[in-house]
């Protein structure tokens, strides 16, 4: 029988990417396929800590092997902020948050605008098991103004390294899913998932 895996996400795009990655080898279910379980509090100091906490709590609540992710943007000139606080860097919309970032970096010159998107994925297969953790990164620069309409979050202000000066929001979805922090973490996690 195929092993069953809970991917602790409500995000349909992330679920699609994971299913494409593991193919027929694993039956992937999401939070939407299960009765409601309490949502873990994401209070870790790192992406890894948050991902492990979520995977562990969901695995314990459901009795299934669980995979969870945590991601965000780390800006070097801001000592790694917004980091684990990316989703709450400013109240309001994604636009409000990237505008705050642009304002915070207004005096920072080109060569010091380096940043990376990071994604930690954690897999907990059962009670008492050590978590397997993989981290993917996507390097780039924070632009001075937004451009592009694809993606979400900080994509319009993040210029992706090696992509001809384009922002993440100017990449087609298939291109983003080749180079993104999440894609890289998924690829690293693949061997653990195929061994379930
Ligand atoms: P989550 O881990 O998917 O909840 O993402 C946390 C936050 O990090 C999001 O709300 C975004 O602000 C930011 N973030 C994570 N991944 C991306 C991405 O691929 N593009 C833009 N922003 C992202």
């Amino acid at each position: 029988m195929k092993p069953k895996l809970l991917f602790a996400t409500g995000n349909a795009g992330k679920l699609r990417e994971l299913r494409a990655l593991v193919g027929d080898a694993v039956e992937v279910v999401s939070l939407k396929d299960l009765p409601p379980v309490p949502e873990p509090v994401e209070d870790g100091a790192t992406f890894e800590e948050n991902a492990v906490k979520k995977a562990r709590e969901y695995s314990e609540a459901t009795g299934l092997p669980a995979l969870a992710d945590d991601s965000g943007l780390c800006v070097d000139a801001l000592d790694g902020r917004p980091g684990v606080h990316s989703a709450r860097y400013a109240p309001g919309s994604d636009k409000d948050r990237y505008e705050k970032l642009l304002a915070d970096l207004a005096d920072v010159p080109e060569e010091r605008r380096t940043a990376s998107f990071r994604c930690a994925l954690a897999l907990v297969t059962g009670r008492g098991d050590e978590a397997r953790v993989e981290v993917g990164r996507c390097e780039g620069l924070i632009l001075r103004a937004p451009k592009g309409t694809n993606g979400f979050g900080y994509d319009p202000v993040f210029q992706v390294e090696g992509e001809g000066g384009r922002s993440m929001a100017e990449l087609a979805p298939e291109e983003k899913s080749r180079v993104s922090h999440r894609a890289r973490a998924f690829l690293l996690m693949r061997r653990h998932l195929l061994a379930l």
Side-chain angles (χ1 to χ4, degrees):
M1 214 173 66
K2 260 196 235 182
K4 201 172 189 173
L5 170 75
L6 167 65
F7 184 23
T9 185
N11 181 314
K14 290 186 190 175
L15 191 62
R16 220 175 304 118
E17 272 182 49
L18 180 67
R19 285 192 170 130
L21 188 78
V22 296
D24 272 348
V26 180
E27 181 186 346
V28 182
V29 297
S30 79
L31 292 172
K32 289 189 180 134
D33 302 313
L34 299 176
V37 288
E39 201 176 318
V41 182
E42 292 184 35
D43 54 2
T46 62
F47 300 118
E48 291 89 330
E49 259 179 63
N50 280 332
V52 170
K53 183 171 192 233
K54 282 194 271 184
R56 193 168 299 292
E57 290 185 23
Y58 279 118
S59 178
E60 282 175 8
T62 62
L64 291 171
L67 179 72
D69 74 329
D70 192 38
S71 58
L73 176 67
C74 297
V75 178
D76 296 326
L78 300 176
D79 297 322
R81 275 177 285 123
V84 290
H85 304 294
S86 293
R88 310 158 255 166
Y89 192 47
S93 64
D94 279 352
K95 183 163 179 278
D96 294 317
R97 283 181 278 281
Y98 71 61
E99 281 179 347
K100 170 168 165 55
L101 182 67
L102 295 181
D104 289 349
L105 293 176
D107 297 331
V108 177
E110 213 55 35
E111 66 277 9
R112 292 185 45 236
R113 298 177 74 91
T114 49
S116 58
F117 275 123
R118 300 191 200 174
C119 171
L121 274 179
L123 173 68
V124 169
T125 53
R127 197 174 284 275
D129 274 6
E130 188 88 5
R132 276 105 165 159
V133 182
E134 299 290 356
V135 178
R137 288 175 64 137
C138 178
E139 306 294 332
L141 288 179
I142 304 301
L143 292 160
R144 292 221 170 254
K147 53 180 188 161
T149 54
N150 295 329
F152 71 101
Y154 299 89
D155 284 348
V157 298
F158 184 87
Q159 179 177 302
V160 189
E161 191 178 277
E163 294 295 332
R166 290 182 297 167
S167 78
M168 190 70 106
E170 290 180 306
L171 299 190
E174 334 55 279
E175 292 178 295
K176 179 173 175 183
S177 57
R178 269 203 309 275
V179 302
S180 80
H181 45 312
R182 212 169 346 269
R184 294 193 165 128
F186 273 149
L187 268 185
L188 293 168
M189 184 54 79
R190 189 165 181 263
R191 66 194 171 100
H192 302 302
L193 298 174
L194 296 182
L196 275 174

